[in-house]
Amino acid sequence: MNDRPTHRLKADGSLIFPEGYAAADIELLPAGYYDAINLAAAEASLIARVDRKREQMRSAVMTQGVGQSYAYAQKAAEVRDYRNTLASVIAALTTPQRSARFPFAMAEVTATGDSLATVIGRIEAGMTASCARIAAVEAAAVLAKRRIRAATSTAAKQAAFDTATWPA
């Protein structure tokens, strides 16, 4: 048996299976009746697959989680603050003042024994690498979605998904 109704009632257009109805009361659905629905469903499924692929690739670069997102944002803010502050001003700060101004970086200074400048440089290098990788993944996802949406048949949408080029 088909998983979708194949007929409709002539009286009100209700979709039905023909079993149990008089032939005079029903009509076969026109050819291609479900094409638009199938096309939309295929597109939605492929777009969701692009989103899952994008998220999988992002998670290879960044640890997931609300707390981790906060830590990344805080470290980024500390790098920006450090880079936008004169070296003489930072040098004049006491250790407690540095710890208050750069809590994540100073925690790493304490843990590793490295200088604040070294820790900030390491955080910044990680941010730069992550940003470049995530930007490339985002660009690939945007292009894949545009091609999927532009395709006019289910086969063409699938081909657009299958030929998407993701960063290595």
Side-chain angles (χ1 to χ4, degrees):
M1 181 181 226
N2 216 342
D3 62 340
R4 290 181 171 164
T6 55
H7 291 70
R8 64 179 166 210
L9 292 175
K10 289 180 181 177
D12 67 5
S14 297
L15 299 180
I16 58 154
F17 292 100
E19 295 78 16
Y21 291 93
D25 295 335
I26 63 173
E27 62 187 0
L28 188 63
L29 291 174
Y33 182 83
Y34 290 109
D35 288 354
I37 296 168
N38 293 343
L39 191 63
E43 180 177 298
S45 173
L46 292 168
I47 294 293
R49 288 176 65 190
V50 167
D51 287 338
R52 285 191 301 273
K53 175 73 173 177
R54 173 176 50 196
E55 195 56 34
Q56 173 193 17
M57 293 187 83
R58 280 183 189 155
S59 66
V61 176
M62 295 180 69
T63 305
Q64 301 300 300
V66 175
Q68 192 62 45
S69 294
Y70 171 78
Y72 287 142
Q74 182 64 33
K75 287 179 176 184
E78 290 179 23
V79 168
R80 280 190 300 276
D81 184 21
Y82 185 89
R83 294 296 181 216
N84 290 319
T85 304
L86 292 172
S88 60
V89 172
I90 293 171
L93 296 173
T94 65
T95 299
Q97 289 171 325
R98 284 184 190 169
S99 293
R101 189 163 181 171
F102 308 105
F104 281 79
M106 286 302 292
E108 192 172 328
V109 165
T110 300
T112 64
D114 293 336
S115 70
L116 179 57
T118 298
V119 169
I120 290 292
R122 189 168 41 242
I123 293 170
E124 189 172 37
M127 288 171 38
T128 300
S130 294
C131 184
R133 174 74 174 170
I134 290 169
V137 168
E138 186 64 22
V142 167
L143 182 58
K145 285 181 168 188
R146 284 183 180 175
R147 288 179 176 169
I148 290 166
R149 287 184 178 118
T152 57
S153 71
T154 301
K157 288 181 183 298
Q158 182 66 51
F161 175 81
D162 291 341
T163 60
T165 303
W166 296 94

PDB file of all heavy atoms in Angstrom, residues 141-154:
ATOM      1  N   ALA A 141      29.276  26.073   3.879  1.00  0.00           N
ATOM      2  CA  ALA A 141      27.872  25.802   4.214  1.00  0.00           C
ATOM      3  C   ALA A 141      26.944  26.780   3.493  1.00  0.00           C
ATOM      4  O   ALA A 141      25.904  26.371   2.954  1.00  0.00           O
ATOM      5  CB  ALA A 141      27.665  25.883   5.729  1.00  0.00           C
ATOM      6  N   VAL A 142      27.302  28.038   3.477  1.00  0.00           N
ATOM      7  CA  VAL A 142      26.478  29.041   2.800  1.00  0.00           C
ATOM      8  C   VAL A 142      26.363  28.716   1.314  1.00  0.00           C
ATOM      9  O   VAL A 142      25.269  28.750   0.736  1.00  0.00           O
ATOM     10  CB  VAL A 142      27.058  30.459   3.012  1.00  0.00           C
ATOM     11  CG1 VAL A 142      26.430  31.475   2.067  1.00  0.00           C
ATOM     12  CG2 VAL A 142      26.865  30.888   4.461  1.00  0.00           C
ATOM     13  N   LEU A 143      27.481  28.373   0.684  1.00  0.00           N
ATOM     14  CA  LEU A 143      27.458  28.043  -0.736  1.00  0.00           C
ATOM     15  C   LEU A 143      26.626  26.781  -0.995  1.00  0.00           C
ATOM     16  O   LEU A 143      25.824  26.743  -1.933  1.00  0.00           O
ATOM     17  CB  LEU A 143      28.880  27.861  -1.264  1.00  0.00           C
ATOM     18  CG  LEU A 143      28.996  27.561  -2.751  1.00  0.00           C
ATOM     19  CD1 LEU A 143      28.366  28.663  -3.597  1.00  0.00           C
ATOM     20  CD2 LEU A 143      30.463  27.371  -3.136  1.00  0.00           C
ATOM     21  N   ALA A 144      26.800  25.765  -0.166  1.00  0.00           N
ATOM     22  CA  ALA A 144      26.025  24.529  -0.345  1.00  0.00           C
ATOM     23  C   ALA A 144      24.527  24.810  -0.230  1.00  0.00           C
ATOM     24  O   ALA A 144      23.729  24.335  -1.049  1.00  0.00           O
ATOM     25  CB  ALA A 144      26.455  23.488   0.682  1.00  0.00           C
ATOM     26  N   LYS A 145      24.135  25.597   0.759  1.00  0.00           N
ATOM     27  CA  LYS A 145      22.711  25.915   0.939  1.00  0.00           C
ATOM     28  C   LYS A 145      22.167  26.720  -0.239  1.00  0.00           C
ATOM     29  O   LYS A 145      21.051  26.466  -0.704  1.00  0.00           O
ATOM     30  CB  LYS A 145      22.501  26.701   2.235  1.00  0.00           C
ATOM     31  CG  LYS A 145      22.598  25.855   3.474  1.00  0.00           C
ATOM     32  CD  LYS A 145      22.360  26.740   4.686  1.00  0.00           C
ATOM     33  CE  LYS A 145      22.142  25.934   5.931  1.00  0.00           C
ATOM     34  NZ  LYS A 145      21.722  26.788   7.061  1.00  0.00           N
ATOM     35  N   ARG A 146      22.941  27.665  -0.731  1.00  0.00           N
ATOM     36  CA  ARG A 146      22.483  28.450  -1.889  1.00  0.00           C
ATOM     37  C   ARG A 146      22.269  27.560  -3.101  1.00  0.00           C
ATOM     38  O   ARG A 146      21.288  27.707  -3.829  1.00  0.00           O
ATOM     39  CB  ARG A 146      23.487  29.547  -2.217  1.00  0.00           C
ATOM     40  CG  ARG A 146      23.427  30.699  -1.266  1.00  0.00           C
ATOM     41  CD  ARG A 146      24.370  31.795  -1.663  1.00  0.00           C
ATOM     42  NE  ARG A 146      24.272  32.892  -0.703  1.00  0.00           N
ATOM     43  CZ  ARG A 146      25.033  33.940  -0.724  1.00  0.00           C
ATOM     44  NH1 ARG A 146      25.965  34.079  -1.649  1.00  0.00           N
ATOM     45  NH2 ARG A 146      24.890  34.884   0.181  1.00  0.00           N
ATOM     46  N   ARG A 147      23.192  26.646  -3.319  1.00  0.00           N
ATOM     47  CA  ARG A 147      23.065  25.747  -4.482  1.00  0.00           C
ATOM     48  C   ARG A 147      21.889  24.793  -4.316  1.00  0.00           C
ATOM     49  O   ARG A 147      21.184  24.517  -5.285  1.00  0.00           O
ATOM     50  CB  ARG A 147      24.368  24.987  -4.685  1.00  0.00           C
ATOM     51  CG  ARG A 147      25.465  25.882  -5.215  1.00  0.00           C
ATOM     52  CD  ARG A 147      26.764  25.151  -5.402  1.00  0.00           C
ATOM     53  NE  ARG A 147      27.754  26.036  -6.013  1.00  0.00           N
ATOM     54  CZ  ARG A 147      29.030  25.760  -6.106  1.00  0.00           C
ATOM     55  NH1 ARG A 147      29.504  24.605  -5.641  1.00  0.00           N
ATOM     56  NH2 ARG A 147      29.860  26.611  -6.668  1.00  0.00           N
ATOM     57  N   ILE A 148      21.680  24.297  -3.112  1.00  0.00           N
ATOM     58  CA  ILE A 148      20.543  23.407  -2.860  1.00  0.00           C
ATOM     59  C   ILE A 148      19.243  24.163  -3.101  1.00  0.00           C
ATOM     60  O   ILE A 148      18.333  23.666  -3.773  1.00  0.00           O
ATOM     61  CB  ILE A 148      20.600  22.826  -1.427  1.00  0.00           C
ATOM     62  CG1 ILE A 148      21.755  21.826  -1.316  1.00  0.00           C
ATOM     63  CG2 ILE A 148      19.270  22.178  -1.042  1.00  0.00           C
ATOM     64  CD1 ILE A 148      22.121  21.444   0.116  1.00  0.00           C
ATOM     65  N   ARG A 149      19.142  25.362  -2.568  1.00  0.00           N
ATOM     66  CA  ARG A 149      17.901  26.146  -2.726  1.00  0.00           C
ATOM     67  C   ARG A 149      17.662  26.539  -4.181  1.00  0.00           C
ATOM     68  O   ARG A 149      16.511  26.651  -4.614  1.00  0.00           O
ATOM     69  CB  ARG A 149      17.953  27.380  -1.844  1.00  0.00           C
ATOM     70  CG  ARG A 149      17.791  27.058  -0.368  1.00  0.00           C
ATOM     71  CD  ARG A 149      17.755  28.316   0.495  1.00  0.00           C
ATOM     72  NE  ARG A 149      17.560  27.958   1.878  1.00  0.00           N
ATOM     73  CZ  ARG A 149      18.427  28.208   2.862  1.00  0.00           C
ATOM     74  NH1 ARG A 149      19.565  28.841   2.598  1.00  0.00           N
ATOM     75  NH2 ARG A 149      18.162  27.837   4.098  1.00  0.00           N
ATOM     76  N   ALA A 150      18.715  26.766  -4.930  1.00  0.00           N
ATOM     77  CA  ALA A 150      18.572  27.183  -6.328  1.00  0.00           C
ATOM     78  C   ALA A 150      18.190  26.020  -7.247  1.00  0.00           C
ATOM     79  O   ALA A 150      17.607  26.250  -8.310  1.00  0.00           O
ATOM     80  CB  ALA A 150      19.866  27.823  -6.829  1.00  0.00           C
ATOM     81  N   ALA A 151      18.502  24.806  -6.839  1.00  0.00           N
ATOM     82  CA  ALA A 151      18.209  23.640  -7.681  1.00  0.00           C
ATOM     83  C   ALA A 151      16.698  23.460  -7.804  1.00  0.00           C
ATOM     84  O   ALA A 151      15.949  23.698  -6.859  1.00  0.00           O
ATOM     85  CB  ALA A 151      18.854  22.396  -7.092  1.00  0.00           C
ATOM     86  N   THR A 152      16.259  23.015  -8.969  1.00  0.00           N
ATOM     87  CA  THR A 152      14.817  22.951  -9.238  1.00  0.00           C
ATOM     88  C   THR A 152      14.243  21.541  -9.256  1.00  0.00           C
ATOM     89  O   THR A 152      13.063  21.371  -9.531  1.00  0.00           O
ATOM     90  CB  THR A 152      14.505  23.646 -10.570  1.00  0.00           C
ATOM     91  OG1 THR A 152      15.265  23.015 -11.606  1.00  0.00           O
ATOM     92  CG2 THR A 152      14.838  25.128 -10.500  1.00  0.00           C
ATOM     93  N   SER A 153      15.066  20.544  -8.987  1.00  0.00           N
ATOM     94  CA  SER A 153      14.557  19.175  -8.904  1.00  0.00           C
ATOM     95  C   SER A 153      15.212  18.488  -7.710  1.00  0.00           C
ATOM     96  O   SER A 153      16.257  18.926  -7.222  1.00  0.00           O
ATOM     97  CB  SER A 153      14.872  18.389 -10.183  1.00  0.00           C
ATOM     98  OG  SER A 153      16.267  18.124 -10.258  1.00  0.00           O
ATOM     99  N   THR A 154      14.589  17.431  -7.263  1.00  0.00           N
ATOM    100  CA  THR A 154      15.148  16.683  -6.139  1.00  0.00           C
ATOM    101  C   THR A 154      16.528  16.155  -6.482  1.00  0.00           C
ATOM    102  O   THR A 154      17.457  16.240  -5.669  1.00  0.00           O
ATOM    103  CB  THR A 154      14.201  15.529  -5.745  1.00  0.00           C
ATOM    104  OG1 THR A 154      12.927  16.097  -5.389  1.00  0.00           O
ATOM    105  CG2 THR A 154      14.730  14.744  -4.567  1.00  0.00           C
TER     106      THR A 154
END
